[in-house]
Each structure stands twice: as structure tokens, then as C-alpha cells.
Amino acid sequence: MAAKDDPKLVLYSYWQSSCSWRVRLALNLKGISYEYKAVNLLKGEQFTPEFEKLNPLHFVPVLVDGDVVISDSYAILMVASIVSSSIQPLHMLSTLKYLEEKVGPQEQLLFAETNVEKGFHALEKLLKDIVGKYATGDEVHMADVFMAPQIAMATKRFKIDMSKFPSLSRIYESLKALPEFLESSPEEQPDAVM
């Protein structure tokens, strides 16, 4: 991987993508610099022929290191299957747009909220006995990198009541204090729209 002062890595990202966020957060925590390339999902830039060469599935993030192209946050970061398999895919923009077309906006929102809360209940049960600042103790690990964007998105986008999840809330408060978290947050990205 590229060193901090040698930005060979290119990250194709969308500012509101939680998958992209967890990669930005992990790169920041490791002190690895990268060039940010914005891919506007709302404008359909993920369907351009150039982007399709990088990821035929049309998802961000995509991390490019020379000739190596990795087109999945899970493959980029590894681990954390509850978030990447049981929560995040169920509230992806493409999934929610499909649901909105088929059953309407209210059902779409209820579907997302139900599945996010179901995943959070599983995480809360798993992490309830952890006494450290983060998911696995007093150091940030992959589980934190996956959880932080999900919790942020859940509270902002779906208005999930985090008082039901005291362990997740405590961990999230610790993560929010990290400079790397702030630097990787959606509103700090060059393509952010407020």
C-alpha cells in the first residue's frame, strides 16, 4: 500500500456512501494518503463506461493501487459481516428506490428502519459486555470502521432512536471524537452537497 507521503492510491467514492466512508475512515486511521475521485451516484456516474471498467457492479467504493483494482469495501477492509451483510445492503439507494417504486415511500422507509434496527439489536447483544471505548476494547479495529458510518447514517437518514442501543451509542461517541472520523465524514468530502 502507498505510504502517507506517496499518494498512489485512488479511492472512487461518493460522499454519502457508508461503504465508501468506512474505507476512508480505515485509510485515515492507518495514515494512508489517497486521491479522492468523486462518483456522483445520484447523477448515475457509476454507470459510465469508464467506471464500469473499474466495477461492473456499479458500486462505490473502488480502491485503485497501480494495476490492482479492489471494488468492494468488504474486500478492501475484510471482516464485520453483520454490518456489511445484514444491515447496509438493505438500505442501499438502489434497494430503496426499487422499493419506493414497487410499494411506495412509506413502506420503503419502514423496510429500512426495520432492518437497520434488527442489525443493531444483534450488534448490541454482541457488544453489550465490552468495557473498552471501542467495539473490541480500547483500540479501533475493523468492527468500529464498519459500525461508525452505519450508526451515523441510521440516525441521520432513518432517525433511529439510539437510546435502544446503549453500547453502540457509547462506542459511536468515542469514534466521533477521532480526527480520522471527522476527516472521513461525508460532509468533509470534496463532492459533498449540503
Side-chain angles (χ1 to χ4, degrees):
M1 289 276 171
K4 181 78 170 165
D5 56 350
D6 184 19
K8 291 182 183 176
L9 292 179
V10 178
L11 179 65
Y12 291 81
S13 179
Y14 179 61
W15 70 287
Q16 284 188 310
S17 162
S18 60
C19 292
S20 296
W21 187 354
R22 61 181 166 233
V23 174
R24 294 190 306 260
L25 178 55
L27 292 171
N28 290 350
L29 286 166
K30 289 294 186 182
I32 299 172
S33 62
Y34 58 92
E35 179 184 349
Y36 185 101
K37 295 269 190 173
V39 179
N40 190 322
L41 301 182
L42 295 178
K43 291 183 178 177
E45 292 176 359
Q46 70 274 30
F47 298 109
T48 64
E50 300 81 34
F51 190 79
E52 188 167 9
K53 289 176 188 171
L54 297 172
N55 186 356
L57 294 175
H58 311 284
F59 296 141
V60 292
V62 173
L63 186 67
V64 178
D65 186 4
D67 293 335
V68 177
V69 177
I70 306 170
S71 58
D72 181 80
S73 67
Y74 195 57
I76 294 167
L77 299 175
M78 325 239 212
V79 200
S81 66
I82 290 175
V83 172
S84 67
S85 299
S86 302
I87 300 173
Q88 192 274 328
L90 299 174
H91 68 76
M92 285 178 51
L93 185 59
S94 59
T95 303
L96 295 181
K97 279 186 174 187
Y98 175 82
L99 285 170
E100 183 176 24
E101 290 171 9
K102 297 296 180 189
V103 295
Q106 284 306 106
E107 288 300 317
Q108 165 208 35
L109 184 61
L110 181 59
F111 176 85
E113 290 171 350
T114 300
N115 285 292
V116 168
E117 286 196 1
K118 182 178 174 184
F120 280 7
H121 282 294
L123 289 171
E124 183 69 26
K125 186 175 181 179
L126 186 67
L127 300 173
K128 68 179 174 40
D129 296 325
I130 300 295
V131 293
K133 291 178 10 179
Y134 306 111
T136 57
D138 287 324
E139 292 184 26
V140 176
H141 288 283
M142 233 21 93
D144 302 295
V145 170
F146 272 69
M147 282 190 331
Q150 286 301 277
I151 294 171
M153 297 301 247
T155 56
K156 290 177 186 172
R157 216 168 139 197
F158 304 115
K159 309 295 186 231
I160 300 295
D161 177 9
M162 291 304 293
S163 67
K164 300 181 210 174
F165 312 105
S167 299
L168 297 183
S169 295
R170 177 186 50 77
I171 293 166
Y172 183 64
E173 288 304 314
S174 296
L175 291 166
K176 281 187 354 185
L178 296 171
E180 297 88 353
F181 175 91
L182 299 172
E183 292 169 15
S184 65
S185 67
E187 43 286 334
E188 294 299 318
Q189 303 316 302
D191 58 329
V193 178
M194 295 298 163

